Amino acid sequence: MERDLPNILVTGTPGTGKTTTSEMIASVTGLQHINVGELVKQKQLHEGYLAEYDTHVLDEDKLLDEMEDMMQEGGKVVDFHTCEIFPERWFDLVLVLRADTQPLYDRMEKRGYNQRKLQENVECEIMQVVLETARESYAQEIVVELPSNTVDDMESNVDRVNRWLEAYKAKHAK
Ligand code: DAT
């Protein structure tokens, strides 16, 4: 699927820095940030709230319908912890943010996550669930694993995306 501007997926375990990094990418590049978690809440693209897991049950069909036109336009930075639900054709680059256990734990604790959620997410990160799922869902060459432990990491990740974007634009210039 050829687009003038690419779509980028920023994924990873909760707390790895997706939203912060996506906001920085959007502000540096002018691409538009789509926070999927927020979109789901705003547009009620869920089938209710699951108190036990402190999460909303996603209505995938509604979400994909909501996003289709935006994604066809291109120029989007999509931020979500789940990566396998989207059509492969939507993305030109898939970034999987990674964090070490300690910073991840500290960030989630600050956020007030309960012990169960904390434990689940730390295990998910150690087992590199999101990375493996991304590698199964998208072409190997577009999936990039990026460390996200420090502010320096974030800045260098944003810089890298910016350079990648410039190359994409040069290649797709008419
Ligand atoms: P996510 O969207 O993956 O859940 P976030 O962007 O909301 O994560 O970040 C959670 C918190 O951690 C937030 O206070 C910013 C901080 N943070 C994230 N990535 C970081 C990094 N690489 N260095 C320092 N702080 C980071």
Side-chain angles (χ1 to χ4, degrees), residues 13-20 107 111 148-151 154:
T13 307
T16 48
K18 299 180 294 294
T19 299
T20 316
R107 290 173 202 164
R111 244 183 205 178
S148 179
N149 292 306
T150 62
V151 173
M154 267 193 304

Short mmCIF file of all heavy atoms in Angstrom, two decimals, residues 13-20 107 111 148-151 154, ligand 1:
data_model
loop_
_atom_site.label_atom_id
_atom_site.label_comp_id
_atom_site.label_asym_id
_atom_site.label_seq_id
_atom_site.Cartn_x
_atom_site.Cartn_y
_atom_site.Cartn_z
N THR A 13 4.97 -3.37 25.90
CA THR A 13 4.28 -3.61 27.18
C THR A 13 3.88 -2.26 27.78
O THR A 13 4.62 -1.27 27.62
CB THR A 13 5.27 -4.33 28.14
OG1 THR A 13 5.79 -5.49 27.49
CG2 THR A 13 4.61 -4.72 29.44
N PRO A 14 2.74 -2.18 28.49
CA PRO A 14 2.39 -0.92 29.16
C PRO A 14 3.56 -0.43 30.03
O PRO A 14 4.19 -1.22 30.73
CB PRO A 14 1.19 -1.31 30.03
CG PRO A 14 0.54 -2.43 29.28
CD PRO A 14 1.68 -3.20 28.66
N GLY A 15 3.83 0.87 29.94
CA GLY A 15 4.90 1.47 30.74
C GLY A 15 6.25 1.55 30.01
O GLY A 15 7.19 2.12 30.53
N THR A 16 6.33 0.99 28.81
CA THR A 16 7.61 1.05 28.10
C THR A 16 7.87 2.42 27.46
O THR A 16 8.97 2.67 26.97
CB THR A 16 7.72 -0.06 27.02
OG1 THR A 16 6.53 -0.05 26.24
CG2 THR A 16 7.92 -1.43 27.65
N GLY A 17 6.84 3.27 27.44
CA GLY A 17 7.07 4.64 26.95
C GLY A 17 6.41 4.93 25.61
O GLY A 17 6.79 5.89 24.93
N LYS A 18 5.40 4.16 25.25
CA LYS A 18 4.75 4.34 23.93
C LYS A 18 4.16 5.74 23.75
O LYS A 18 4.38 6.39 22.74
CB LYS A 18 3.64 3.30 23.71
CG LYS A 18 4.11 1.88 23.72
CD LYS A 18 2.97 0.92 23.52
CE LYS A 18 1.97 0.93 24.64
NZ LYS A 18 2.50 0.44 25.93
N THR A 19 3.37 6.15 24.75
CA THR A 19 2.67 7.43 24.60
C THR A 19 3.66 8.59 24.60
O THR A 19 3.59 9.48 23.74
CB THR A 19 1.61 7.59 25.71
OG1 THR A 19 0.67 6.51 25.56
CG2 THR A 19 0.87 8.91 25.60
N THR A 20 4.61 8.56 25.53
CA THR A 20 5.60 9.64 25.60
C THR A 20 6.40 9.71 24.29
O THR A 20 6.58 10.78 23.71
CB THR A 20 6.55 9.41 26.80
OG1 THR A 20 5.77 9.03 27.92
CG2 THR A 20 7.34 10.65 27.12
N ARG A 107 7.80 2.64 36.98
CA ARG A 107 6.83 3.47 36.24
C ARG A 107 5.40 3.00 36.51
O ARG A 107 4.49 3.81 36.68
CB ARG A 107 7.09 3.38 34.74
CG ARG A 107 8.36 4.08 34.31
CD ARG A 107 8.63 3.80 32.84
NE ARG A 107 10.03 3.99 32.50
CZ ARG A 107 10.60 3.55 31.39
NH1 ARG A 107 9.88 2.90 30.49
NH2 ARG A 107 11.87 3.76 31.16
N ARG A 111 2.14 4.76 38.56
CA ARG A 111 0.83 4.88 37.93
C ARG A 111 -0.28 4.29 38.78
O ARG A 111 -1.45 4.37 38.41
CB ARG A 111 0.87 4.08 36.63
CG ARG A 111 0.69 4.89 35.43
CD ARG A 111 0.69 3.95 34.26
NE ARG A 111 1.10 4.67 33.10
CZ ARG A 111 1.24 4.10 31.91
NH1 ARG A 111 1.02 2.83 31.76
NH2 ARG A 111 1.60 4.82 30.89
N SER A 148 14.07 1.45 25.79
CA SER A 148 13.40 2.66 26.30
C SER A 148 13.53 2.70 27.82
O SER A 148 12.54 2.62 28.54
CB SER A 148 11.94 2.66 25.85
OG SER A 148 11.27 3.79 26.34
N ASN A 149 14.78 2.81 28.27
CA ASN A 149 15.04 2.84 29.72
C ASN A 149 15.27 4.24 30.24
O ASN A 149 14.98 4.52 31.40
CB ASN A 149 16.26 1.98 30.05
CG ASN A 149 15.97 0.52 29.80
OD1 ASN A 149 15.00 -0.02 30.32
ND2 ASN A 149 16.79 -0.12 28.99
N THR A 150 15.80 5.10 29.39
CA THR A 150 16.19 6.44 29.85
C THR A 150 15.64 7.50 28.88
O THR A 150 15.20 7.17 27.77
CB THR A 150 17.72 6.57 29.85
OG1 THR A 150 18.18 6.41 28.49
CG2 THR A 150 18.38 5.52 30.72
N VAL A 151 15.74 8.74 29.32
CA VAL A 151 15.32 9.85 28.46
C VAL A 151 16.24 9.91 27.22
O VAL A 151 15.77 10.18 26.11
CB VAL A 151 15.34 11.18 29.25
CG1 VAL A 151 15.08 12.36 28.34
CG2 VAL A 151 14.31 11.14 30.37
N MET A 154 14.97 7.59 24.70
CA MET A 154 13.79 8.13 24.01
C MET A 154 14.21 9.13 22.93
O MET A 154 13.71 9.10 21.81
CB MET A 154 12.85 8.83 24.99
CG MET A 154 11.79 7.90 25.50
SD MET A 154 10.43 8.68 26.35
CE MET A 154 11.19 9.58 27.63
P1 DAT B 1 3.13 3.57 27.78
O1 DAT B 1 2.41 4.48 26.83
O2 DAT B 1 4.00 2.56 27.08
O3 DAT B 1 2.25 2.92 28.79
P2 DAT B 1 4.17 6.04 28.88
O4 DAT B 1 4.71 6.78 27.71
O5 DAT B 1 2.83 6.45 29.37
O6 DAT B 1 4.18 4.46 28.60
O7 DAT B 1 5.27 6.15 30.02
C1 DAT B 1 4.98 5.80 31.38
C2 DAT B 1 5.80 6.68 32.29
O8 DAT B 1 7.18 6.34 32.19
C3 DAT B 1 5.72 8.16 31.99
O9 DAT B 1 5.72 8.84 33.21
C4 DAT B 1 6.99 8.48 31.24
C5 DAT B 1 7.96 7.45 31.77
N1 DAT B 1 8.86 6.95 30.72
C6 DAT B 1 8.52 6.21 29.67
N2 DAT B 1 9.57 5.89 28.91
C7 DAT B 1 10.64 6.44 29.52
C8 DAT B 1 12.04 6.46 29.23
N3 DAT B 1 12.57 5.85 28.15
N4 DAT B 1 12.84 7.15 30.07
C9 DAT B 1 12.33 7.78 31.15
N5 DAT B 1 11.02 7.78 31.48
C10 DAT B 1 10.19 7.13 30.68
#
